[in-house]
Amino acid sequence: MSIQRRDFLKNLGIAGIGLSLAPGLVQAGPVYKAPVKGKDLSIIKLSGKVQANGSGIANVAVTDGYNVVLTDAKGRYELDSNATAEFVYISIPRGYEFTNEKSITRFYKKIAAERGKFKADFELKKLTQDDTKHNFVVWADPQIISESDAAQLKSEPAPDLKKLVSSYGENALFHGIGCGDLVWDKFELFDDYQEALNITGIPFFQVIGNHDMDLAARTDEFSAETFKKLFGPTYYSFNRGEIHYVVLDDVFFIGTAKKYIGYITENQLAWLEQDLSHVKPGSTVVVNVHIPVYTRQHIRDKAKEEAIGGVVANRKELYRLLQPFKAHINSGHTHFNEKIFEGENIIEHVHGTVCGAWWTGPICFDGTPSGYGVYEVNGSEIEWYYKATNLPKEHQLRVYPVGKVKDKPEYFAANVWNWDPEWTVEWLEDGKQMGEMQRETGLDPLSVELHEGAAKPSKHKWVEPQFTEHLFFAKPSANAQKITVQVTDRFKNIYREELLMNELKSSLR
């Protein structure tokens, strides 16, 4: 990338992870109107019942976003709240369906108090099967900005997910998590996003992203008004089988359009501490956020410090709260794929995106295919893979011939996008085992071809290839006829790709 272009991207705020567009390139949401009087702190008494078929359900967590209480033996709850609370909502217990409207989950009631009281009952429906085994998918950054983007979302990823779900059989349990940047500041496209979810046929929970915020709001507290009208609370939890799921809002709007930091507010941390107090230590907890809690991008880019809009500044407290559990963190935002490990019990899955490099082609800018994460749950254990849109789930690597990476002209390369240290990446020359390939940081050759240069890609010319740590290299002999790359993931699944002689030697010219 030229210095001039890098400086241009920095001025736009997209050279690092804190992505945004120059003013005028996108349309913000409705103009925000500030409140005309002070904050009302009057007490509101919340009460109600959680039930199924007329029978109360005990020990269901109910919250107003500040405090958490459990239902009694008859499914009843009472909660002293205040007028700043917007919703009363439940942490759906295991064994029950996810109530939804055309795939949008509904687990909350908007508080409309009268004389300081509000009554909200929740009617659940028991599953007809055991949910100890279930599956979920993570859709990071659908990020549609135009009708053409919306049409592509509905014609490619949505049917692809529907087909994948069908492949698991009629009785397979699935749910989805929209991991933020559901749209790209164009709130009128939320309808198209919801239509896409309805095509998939599975219930989805939503995470707010930086491109889902009201950009005219004067503070972070008012930046999620549109999102909440459509999808409810921005932080909450639910349960399926033995897994406790949590959604958090880690995008903190700083009051200037398209400016934000990765940060979890005290309200959320205090709520999360209460929420997790009802989860048995040692259980598996899956936390879903938009901005990654952490990535190594600044290290790959040799930057002096982390991008303030690219990681969560106060992540140490989140790590502390998750320490008693086996924890997975799902995030998006970056448009690349990465695995981050914090100690022995926390793994973060930074996801490649549904839109790839903003709907410019088939890949993200680290070479990861446009797609989504798939997670298979059995009890407290989770296995996962990355599903490329419109490609078989066995598509887990891409192999490049000798010379495709310009600074390693005698080597062939492999991009193994879902790699983590438990994987092995080996190669064979004409059937002979040659050992493991060498992992290095570099640019994916296809991303360079599609994205590098001031004129590419034509749709969004500011997109650039980004360094990745999941590239692997090996040097074949001069008379090699066939190269096989064999990767084994942490679950002992084996994937292979081959290069024949004419492909192997077809270097860039």
Side-chain angles (χ1 to χ4, degrees):
M1 183 189 302
S2 69
I3 294 176
Q4 292 90 341
R5 193 173 190 208
R6 173 62 76 179
D7 289 343
F8 172 70
L9 292 175
K10 284 183 178 178
N11 290 335
L12 287 184
I14 58 177
I17 307 179
L19 305 176
S20 62
L21 284 181
L25 291 183
V26 296
Q27 177 181 325
V31 175
Y32 171 74
K33 295 182 179 179
V36 295
K37 56 183 179 180
K39 185 175 287 189
D40 185 354
L41 297 177
S42 59
I43 297 298
I44 293 177
K45 291 188 175 294
L46 304 175
S47 64
K49 187 175 184 181
V50 182
Q51 59 188 1
N53 291 325
S55 298
I57 307 171
N59 296 316
V60 177
V62 183
T63 183
D64 61 350
Y66 297 106
N67 296 299
V68 180
V69 297
L70 298 181
T71 56
D72 65 16
K74 295 184 178 180
R76 299 171 302 192
Y77 72 91
E78 290 185 352
L79 176 60
D80 283 341
S81 185
N82 68 74
T84 66
E86 299 177 75
F87 301 97
V88 56
Y89 49 106
I90 63 172
S91 185
I92 302 171
R94 70 172 297 177
Y96 292 87
E97 293 183 5
F98 296 144
T99 302
N100 67 92
E101 297 175 3
K102 297 182 178 180
S103 290
I104 304 296
T105 53
R106 305 298 186 196
F107 52 91
Y108 55 90
K109 306 283 187 181
K110 176 73 174 174
I111 296 174
E114 293 185 5
R115 298 180 181 180
K117 295 180 180 181
F118 182 69
K119 187 174 187 295
D121 294 332
F122 295 88
E123 183 70 33
L124 300 180
K125 184 177 180 180
K126 199 163 183 62
L127 285 167
T128 58
Q129 64 196 99
D130 182 15
D131 59 3
T132 300
K133 285 187 176 182
H134 66 272
N135 314 282
F136 67 94
V137 300
V138 176
W139 265 20
D141 300 67
Q143 202 160 342
I144 49 179
I145 197 174
S146 65
E147 290 295 342
S148 63
D149 289 354
Q152 192 170 351
L153 177 66
K154 289 183 281 188
S155 65
E156 294 183 14
D160 184 74
L161 175 52
K162 182 178 180 179
K163 181 179 178 181
L164 178 78
V165 171
S166 296
S167 73
Y168 278 74
E170 184 178 353
N171 295 320
L173 285 173
F174 264 91
H175 66 275
I177 297 163
C179 216
D181 283 1
L182 313 178
V183 298
W184 193 351
D185 302 309
K186 293 288 190 76
F187 290 173
E188 64 269 26
L189 297 178
F190 273 126
D191 287 342
D192 294 275
Y193 171 72
Q194 294 182 68
E195 289 173 14
L197 297 192
N198 193 34
I199 290 170
T200 72
I202 65 173
F204 261 78
F205 296 85
Q206 316 305 327
V207 179
I208 190 171
N210 51 289
H211 287 293
D212 306 317
M213 298 190 302
D214 296 278
L215 300 180
R218 72 181 188 183
T219 62
D220 180 68
E221 284 82 354
F222 298 104
S223 64
E225 294 301 300
T226 299
F227 181 94
K228 288 187 285 191
K229 287 177 183 177
L230 294 170
F231 306 118
T234 59
Y235 59 95
Y236 53 93
S237 68
F238 60 95
N239 302 274
R240 173 142 282 183
E242 297 178 17
I243 310 298
H244 185 68
Y245 294 86
V246 174
V247 168
L248 297 175
D249 170 8
D250 68 348
V251 184
F252 190 92
F253 177 67
I254 62 173
T256 301
K258 303 186 186 306
K259 299 295 183 182
Y260 54 88
I261 62 174
Y263 183 81
I264 302 173
T265 60
E266 173 59 26
N267 279 351
Q268 291 184 81
L269 291 172
W271 168 85
L272 180 61
E273 193 157 18
Q274 295 177 73
D275 178 78
L276 293 178
S277 71
H278 302 296
V279 180
K280 182 180 177 181
S283 300
T284 299
V285 175
V286 176
V287 177
N288 303 275
V289 294
H290 178 61
I291 294 177
V293 175
Y294 184 69
T295 86
R296 289 172 50 86
Q297 187 185 19
H298 65 289
I299 297 172
R300 293 189 290 274
D301 290 344
K302 298 181 180 178
K304 292 182 179 179
E305 57 186 16
E306 305 159 355
I308 196 168
V311 296
V312 174
N314 58 339
R315 59 183 174 271
K316 288 184 179 179
E317 181 60 15
L318 177 62
Y319 288 153
R320 184 188 72 81
L321 293 177
L322 294 177
Q323 199 59 45
F325 309 98
K326 294 187 295 185
H328 294 260
I329 300 172
N330 295 318
S331 58
H333 186 55
T334 65
H335 299 252
F336 58 68
N337 212 63
E338 184 176 11
K339 294 288 184 285
I340 297 294
F341 295 84
E342 174 63 24
E344 296 182 357
N345 67 321
I346 300 175
I347 177 172
E348 179 167 5
H349 309 263
V350 184
H351 289 80
T353 54
V354 172
C355 73
W358 296 271
W359 302 105
T360 61
I363 61 171
C364 305
F365 47 37
D366 69 335
T368 299
S370 306
Y372 48 95
V374 183
Y375 297 81
E376 301 171 336
V377 179
N378 186 359
S380 63
E381 300 301 316
I382 302 177
E383 296 188 7
W384 58 87
Y385 61 91
Y386 186 86
K387 173 65 173 67
T389 301
N390 291 334
L391 290 169
K393 70 180 190 179
E394 292 77 19
H395 182 62
Q396 296 296 321
L397 69 155
R398 187 185 305 111
V399 181
Y400 295 102
V402 171
K404 275 287 188 179
V405 179
K406 293 180 181 179
D407 59 355
K408 296 185 75 68
E410 298 178 333
Y411 290 74
F412 70 92
N415 191 336
V416 187
W417 40 80
N418 217 29
W419 175 89
D420 69 51
E422 295 296 317
W423 289 50
T424 58
V425 181
E426 304 167 292
W427 68 292
L428 295 82
E429 181 176 288
D430 297 326
K432 180 182 177 182
Q433 291 279 354
M434 302 299 291
E436 294 193 28
M437 297 178 69
Q438 180 178 344
R439 185 171 65 92
E440 296 185 20
T441 299
L443 299 176
D444 175 80
L446 181 57
S447 183
V448 171
E449 181 181 331
L450 297 177
H451 303 145
E452 189 172 65
K456 297 186 295 186
S458 59
K459 185 173 183 178
H460 299 304
K461 294 181 179 180
W462 41 264
V463 173
E464 281 284 345
Q466 290 220 355
F467 288 107
T468 179
E469 295 175 67
H470 45 67
L471 284 179
F472 296 80
F473 296 89
K475 183 179 179 180
S477 63
N479 58 353
Q481 298 296 305
K482 183 176 74 172
I483 293 296
T484 303
V485 178
Q486 175 176 294
V487 303
T488 306
D489 70 13
R490 59 166 48 226
F491 309 113
K492 307 308 177 186
N493 299 305
I494 297 174
Y495 309 98
R496 297 183 182 90
E497 294 288 342
E498 292 184 349
L499 283 175
L500 300 178
M501 180 183 66
N502 62 329
E503 300 170 314
L504 183 63
K505 302 300 172 63
S506 61
S507 60
L508 283 175
R509 293 179 174 85

